[in-house]
Amino acid sequence: MTSFNDLKSLYEDGYRCIYHDCTNSNHTIYLKNFDNENSQALEIEVNDENEFSQFQNYMNDLKMS
């Protein structure tokens, strides 16, 4: 399982959320790195509701800065 710190680290490496979805209490976050030509989308599953909320708050804080 991917932790909030892992997601935050990917964000610090240039990945950005392009889509997120929740099915059966399982969150999937699609990240893409726009900083390089060979960017790829990553699918990350987060099973813990608290960690998904932390990641949403982290993304919202970045948008406001």
Side-chain angles (χ1 to χ4, degrees):
M1 181 172 79
T2 302
S3 71
F4 169 68
N5 287 332
D6 294 335
L7 293 172
K8 188 176 174 182
S9 176
L10 288 169
Y11 245 70
E12 290 169 355
D13 287 341
Y15 285 87
R16 296 295 177 259
C17 179
I18 57 174
Y19 180 74
H20 60 84
D21 189 22
C22 177
T23 55
N24 299 327
S25 300
N26 199 20
H27 298 280
T28 304
I29 302 169
Y30 297 88
L31 301 173
K32 184 172 182 175
N33 187 322
F34 292 97
D35 291 337
N36 59 42
E37 292 181 24
N38 296 327
S39 61
Q40 68 180 39
L42 303 174
E43 184 176 334
I44 298 172
E45 294 182 0
V46 180
N47 296 319
D48 186 302
E49 187 72 33
N50 182 44
E51 289 204 333
F52 185 74
S53 294
Q54 284 180 326
F55 185 66
Q56 281 184 311
N57 291 338
Y58 178 73
M59 287 189 305
N60 290 335
D61 288 346
L62 287 176
K63 288 178 187 176
M64 297 184 132
S65 359

